[in-house]
Amino acid sequence: MTVVTQSERRFISRAEIESLPLHATTLQHFKGPQGSFAGVWLKDLLSAQGVDETATLRFIAHDDYSTFINPEERDYLLVTRLDGEPLTLTDFGPTMLIVPAEAEFVEAGTANMTHWVWSIRDIIVQ
């Protein structure tokens, strides 16, 4: 995954992401996968990367899907593993953004899915 700021573009490996404390949540993703999703809190990753907490973020997936996340919306888990196994491009990886607090709404089919991004390629800091 690449983080792009006004001054630089840097690659972040899975190992770098997972050097932060990992958290897990069990849920059914609206696209089908279910189980224990593990990763790091987005706000922790951004802090470790020195990203301004007031910045708007643009997430771009490998299929060029794009969405924006405002500073108020940072209760996301950047997932790198499902049931202990690393995510790959064929299973919505290598990283996926989920909102654990919305798990119940996902199962009910009422959650806003625009911020549940998978196969993340870039995070652009704006």
Side-chain angles (χ1 to χ4, degrees):
M1 182 174 65
T2 304
V3 174
V4 181
T5 65
Q6 291 181 355
S7 60
E8 70 178 316
R9 177 181 192 93
R10 62 183 175 269
F11 175 77
I12 303 174
S13 69
R14 181 187 317 269
E16 286 178 275
I17 294 168
E18 292 181 347
S19 70
L20 297 169
L22 290 177
H23 302 274
T25 186
T26 301
L27 57 84
Q28 165 88 43
H29 191 281
F30 74 97
K31 280 292 195 177
Q34 65 181 10
S36 178
F37 291 83
V40 301
W41 290 111
L42 177 61
K43 61 185 176 189
D44 292 345
L45 176 69
L46 297 174
S47 177
Q49 293 296 312
V51 172
D52 181 355
E53 65 185 35
T54 64
T56 295
L57 305 174
R58 179 179 178 202
F59 287 81
I60 303 174
H62 282 276
D63 66 359
D64 292 324
Y65 174 80
S66 178
T67 192
F68 292 87
I69 295 179
N70 296 317
E72 304 81 39
E73 305 172 315
R74 298 278 168 90
D75 289 334
Y76 293 94
L77 193 64
L78 183 69
V79 174
T80 56
R81 296 180 178 272
L82 176 58
D83 293 331
E85 295 298 318
L87 293 176
T88 65
L89 277 175
T90 58
D91 59 7
F92 301 101
T95 56
M96 173 191 298
L97 201 60
I98 67 170
V99 187
E102 294 179 0
E104 181 179 315
F105 301 109
V106 170
E107 290 184 25
T110 60
N112 179 352
M113 298 304 161
T114 59
H115 293 141
W116 287 59
V117 185
W118 54 90
S119 298
I120 299 169
R121 182 184 70 215
D122 299 307
I123 301 174
I124 300 175
V125 181
Q126 301 186 318

